[in-house]
Amino acid sequence: MMICCPKYHNLRDKMKTSQVKLFNPYAQFETDNSLMYRTKTYLSYTCQRKRCVGVVIMVNPGSSIPKGELHVVHEASEDKSLQIVNEVVSKAYNLKGIKPNDGDYIEIFNTFNLCKWPLHEAIKLFLKQKDSKYMFTPMNINSDTEWLWVAWGKDGGELTGIKEQIYNQLDKSKIIGIYEDGYYYHPLRIQIKGKKKYVTKQITNYLS
């Protein structure tokens, strides 16, 4: 079930190419043992989700909190990481001179779904609670998804096995992102390093 927010239904008709963000965040949250999990996350061009044009894989939802009720996908708040992703992808469309099609969306996956920050505290909790039924979301990526942005950042090595398992199932010809110093940069790291334009260009190359 998905709750559609009417105020965004015709947003695409009001957007100008000079504006930054084309997509709107939607998410589903669950709770288990007093812990919060974000199990589904999308950046959608319209309220409907018909075609996944891209995937972003990060580490965990961090400090993300629900904006509405649990158990259903609905309009969500946009944390800093999602904001950067939205800006980068929207800029790619603007540079290409095109807009997404109705129903186009980006799906956000994480190595684990626990909402917790800072990361070292999240990993400690993850190792204790990893048997929770909400901890992982299967990465069922459609074959026509155009690009796969790996952006899970750096950890102390506790997530190496999970990252390898995820990476091995990805179509390597579609992977984008910045890989330096032995890891894929998280969107926050990309912004700090001033490399948003590099990823924007990568995405632009996949747009048609």
Side-chain angles (χ1 to χ4, degrees):
M1 176 181 179
M2 184 174 185
I3 298 177
C4 185
C5 184
K7 70 178 181 179
Y8 286 134
H9 185 68
N10 293 318
L11 181 63
R12 65 190 183 280
D13 298 324
K14 301 176 183 178
M15 297 296 293
K16 296 180 181 180
T17 56
S18 60
Q19 292 179 303
V20 176
K21 294 187 288 185
L22 294 172
F23 296 86
N24 300 293
Y26 293 85
Q28 178 173 326
F29 289 83
E30 306 287 350
T31 58
D32 187 23
N33 290 329
S34 300
L35 297 174
M36 186 70 66
Y37 299 85
R38 195 177 74 194
T39 57
K40 297 178 182 179
T41 313
Y42 310 98
L43 288 171
S44 299
Y45 184 51
T46 57
C47 294
Q48 301 300 317
R49 291 181 287 108
K50 299 178 181 178
R51 184 176 74 108
C52 180
V53 296
V55 161
V56 184
I57 308 171
M58 293 188 277
V59 61
N60 80 308
S63 57
S64 183
I65 58 174
K67 193 174 180 179
E69 62 184 299
L70 304 178
H71 316 308
V72 293
V73 176
H74 58 80
E75 179 191 358
S77 58
E78 189 176 59
D79 59 26
K80 186 61 176 178
S81 298
L82 287 180
Q83 179 182 332
I84 295 171
V85 170
N86 199 347
E87 290 172 353
V88 168
V89 179
S90 297
K91 183 66 173 179
Y93 277 92
N94 289 338
L95 288 175
K96 193 77 172 183
I98 62 175
K99 291 183 179 180
N101 296 315
D102 288 357
D104 282 358
Y105 68 95
I106 301 155
E107 185 159 11
I108 313 296
F109 290 108
N110 289 283
T111 59
F112 62 96
N113 293 331
L114 178 64
C115 298
K116 182 70 176 179
W117 190 257
L119 181 58
H120 70 276
E121 293 293 336
I123 291 176
K124 286 180 182 178
L125 267 179
F126 160 71
L127 294 174
K128 294 177 181 178
Q129 304 289 336
K130 60 183 178 180
D131 290 333
S132 170
K133 62 182 178 180
Y134 300 121
M135 189 62 79
F136 303 104
T137 298
M139 293 191 186
N140 299 319
I141 301 173
N142 296 329
S143 59
D144 60 348
T145 298
E146 296 173 339
W147 49 266
L148 311 172
W149 181 358
V150 180
W152 49 42
K154 187 177 183 180
D155 62 86
E158 300 90 345
L159 305 177
T160 299
I162 295 174
K163 290 178 177 179
E164 289 179 349
Q165 183 179 7
I166 294 171
Y167 187 82
N168 288 338
Q169 71 178 1
L170 300 179
D171 183 340
K172 308 303 184 292
S173 67
K174 297 181 178 181
I175 291 178
I176 65 169
I178 297 178
Y179 184 83
E180 291 183 4
D181 305 320
Y183 66 98
Y184 281 94
Y185 279 14
H186 186 274
L188 292 172
R189 183 72 171 171
I190 288 172
Q191 176 161 282
I192 291 171
K193 288 288 190 178
K195 296 190 175 184
K196 289 167 65 176
K197 289 183 179 179
Y198 181 82
V199 182
T200 297
K201 179 62 176 176
Q202 288 180 313
I203 294 172
T204 301
N205 291 338
Y206 282 89
L207 300 179
S208 57

